[in-house]
Amino acid sequence: MCSAVAVSAVFIGMANPVASAAPPSGSSTGSTVESDFYVPPSPLPAGAPGDVIRSEPSHLALSVPGIGGPLPGAATRIMYRSTDSNDDANAVTGTYIDPAAPWTGPGPRPLVVLAPGTQGQGDQCAPSKMLNNLITYTPPLGFMVEYEVLAAYALLSQGYGVVITDYEGLGTPGAHTYVNRASEAHAVLDAARAAQNLQGTKISEDGPVAAYGYSQGGGAAAAAAELAGEYAPEMDLVGTYAGAPPADLKQTLEQVDGTILTGVIGYTLNGLLNSDPGLQPIVDENINDAGKAMLNLVANQCVGETILNVGLHRTNEYTKTGEPLSVVLDRLPVAQEILAKNKIGMRTPNAPVLIQSGTSDDIVPHGQAVGLAGDWCGKGATVQLSAAQVPAIVPGSGAGHLIPDILGLGEAQNWIKDRFYGVPAPSNC
């Protein structure tokens, strides 16, 4: 079990090199101790979603000097305007990487906005911070690897600009609104806008854009895909890769309970309490002291630490009735309304989508991917559903979630490349 936990801690979302021990640089509810960069100005300056509030050079831990600049590219830390799930303006941070590799395809150099998989809920887990260290460790269990370099660097090698969002509340003050459909969609789309608004980059302000993500990132990318026509109609979004998207939080809650990633249920509740404060009395009525302690604990952790602290526990340990949390939520109309408004698949993407999912995914149910593809196909979207026929391997270990991510990397990257090269998108609707 230890090896499964170790592998999943590195990859859930997840992948690898260069070690640097670093202390936490903030919490999910406070400002950073690293610098003032992550503390938004108050009030926010006037502007539009995607406007850059501030930026600064960012050193990538995994980088080598090159004749024309660092490889795989020059990084810029950004803070940009976005919109939360209640349609209020907020500030989100991220990293734009200007590629060293040439662009040899047609038209202007494209941009990929990478929606990260599960990082955690503590501010120290923000990808824009983790890219500076790659590996961090805070005793006794605070181990974290910025695994998204695997996908990001593969994209950069194709000559694309890459921007990676931190999402709402990850790095910046306030709770990270984990798997919140609208908040994450806005953060993804506005990251692309912010990257295109930066001066002195190799991408153009109106070039083609693709969204890319797996797991939490797959849900965020999928949410962005179906909201783009409404929220960012000016954007030339040519396609979206959504791997293992948690399109239905209720189904995901049932599946993940008792696995090594039980703790992400705590992330979800903390995020929902931030965006929907009316839930607080309901949580107080139904969650016991152990459950409240768990919520407080994971609020300041990265995913590796959460796996080691909460993994394989079941939510019936955290409810006053001793029932699984999914059963408790089933009888609470307000909770059902909130889960329903976070469901992905109720709108129509205005560009092609590739959905990947493993048939034995033990974290995000495969049926969700099938259902999401069906919902979008029924609305006339261009959708390719790719199912990885992976046998069940140690259910609950996360292997069924991790392996399709690794196996699908080539297909996902080639699919994105075809969209930028103008190849007609496949569909198996």
Side-chain angles (χ1 to χ4, degrees):
M1 186 184 76
C2 289
S3 61
V5 169
V7 170
S8 298
V10 174
F11 281 101
I12 285 301
M14 299 182 178
N16 321 268
V18 182
S20 170
S25 52
S27 72
S28 64
T29 55
S31 64
T32 67
V33 298
E34 178 183 41
S35 73
D36 291 332
F37 185 90
Y38 291 87
V39 182
S42 182
L44 288 179
D51 283 358
V52 178
I53 297 171
R54 61 173 66 121
S55 64
E56 66 180 19
S58 179
H59 172 71
L60 299 176
L62 190 58
S63 177
V64 296
I67 295 175
L71 301 172
T76 301
R77 195 187 329 268
I78 56 175
M79 175 183 284
Y80 58 93
R81 282 182 64 100
S82 191
T83 311
D84 67 16
S85 60
N86 296 312
D87 294 324
D88 294 323
N90 63 357
V92 177
T93 50
T95 301
Y96 171 69
I97 307 175
D98 213 31
W103 167 241
T104 58
R109 186 187 295 261
L111 171 71
V112 177
V113 53
L114 196 160
T118 301
Q119 306 286 299
Q121 203 154 43
D123 279 350
Q124 72 275 15
C125 321
S128 65
K129 296 182 179 184
M130 287 298 305
L131 287 167
N132 301 149
N133 301 297
L134 203 59
I135 298 175
T136 62
Y137 173 68
T138 306
L141 300 175
F143 175 74
M144 181 62 185
V145 176
E146 186 40 75
Y147 56 86
E148 290 294 2
V149 296
L150 182 64
Y153 283 27
L155 294 164
L156 288 164
S157 73
Q158 300 295 314
Y160 318 142
V162 173
V163 63
I164 307 168
T165 181
D166 290 339
Y167 302 125
E168 178 185 9
L170 198 55
T172 49
H176 167 41
T177 48
Y178 184 77
V179 296
N180 181 298
R181 179 192 60 80
S183 173
E184 291 188 345
H186 297 157
V188 167
L189 295 168
D190 289 331
R193 285 167 159 162
Q196 292 184 325
N197 283 334
L198 280 174
Q199 300 299 304
T201 69
K202 297 174 183 175
I203 60 172
S204 66
E205 62 181 15
D206 57 359
V209 177
Y212 187 106
Y214 189 87
S215 195
Q216 179 191 3
E226 68 172 20
L227 203 61
E230 170 189 337
Y231 185 75
E234 82 291 349
M235 187 176 296
D236 183 17
L237 184 68
V238 299
T240 296
Y241 162 62
D248 187 322
L249 296 187
K250 183 178 182 296
Q251 289 184 26
T252 304
L253 169 62
E254 294 172 354
Q255 176 106 328
V256 79
D257 197 347
T259 71
I260 66 164
L261 280 176
T262 298
V264 302
I265 297 172
Y267 296 164
T268 304
L269 278 179
N270 284 334
L272 291 176
L273 287 169
N274 183 75
S275 57
D276 295 273
L279 264 181
Q280 190 67 61
I282 295 174
V283 169
D284 290 341
E285 289 171 12
N286 291 280
I287 301 297
N288 61 23
D289 289 344
K292 293 172 185 176
M294 183 271 287
L295 294 180
N296 289 331
L297 180 69
V298 302
N300 295 291
Q301 292 183 339
C302 298
V303 66
E305 187 172 10
T306 298
I307 287 172
L308 295 173
N309 277 282
V310 186
L312 304 182
H313 285 266
R314 294 189 173 275
T315 57
N316 60 4
E317 301 171 36
Y318 305 130
T319 62
K320 290 182 178 179
T321 62
E323 300 168 297
L325 186 60
S326 58
V327 173
V328 174
L329 295 179
D330 269 344
R331 59 172 177 263
L332 301 173
V334 173
Q336 291 302 304
E337 287 176 17
I338 291 172
L339 292 174
K341 78 176 182 180
N342 280 289
K343 188 175 187 298
I344 304 168
M346 309 303 290
R347 298 159 183 79
T348 308
N350 62 356
V353 180
L354 169 65
I355 301 174
Q356 283 182 351
S357 173
T359 54
S360 297
D361 194 320
D362 53 344
I363 302 298
V364 180
H366 174 63
Q368 282 191 71
V370 175
L372 178 60
D375 288 342
W376 280 345
C377 286
K379 294 177 172 63
T382 301
V383 182
Q384 180 75 8
L385 175 63
S386 178
Q389 305 291 329
V390 178
I393 302 172
V394 193
S397 70
H401 188 61
L402 163 65
I403 292 171
D405 183 15
I406 298 171
L407 295 179
L409 183 64
E411 179 190 31
Q413 299 257 337
N414 288 332
W415 188 91
I416 290 290
K417 181 179 181 179
D418 284 347
R419 303 292 75 72
F420 287 141
Y421 277 76
V423 177
S427 176
N428 52 10
C429 283

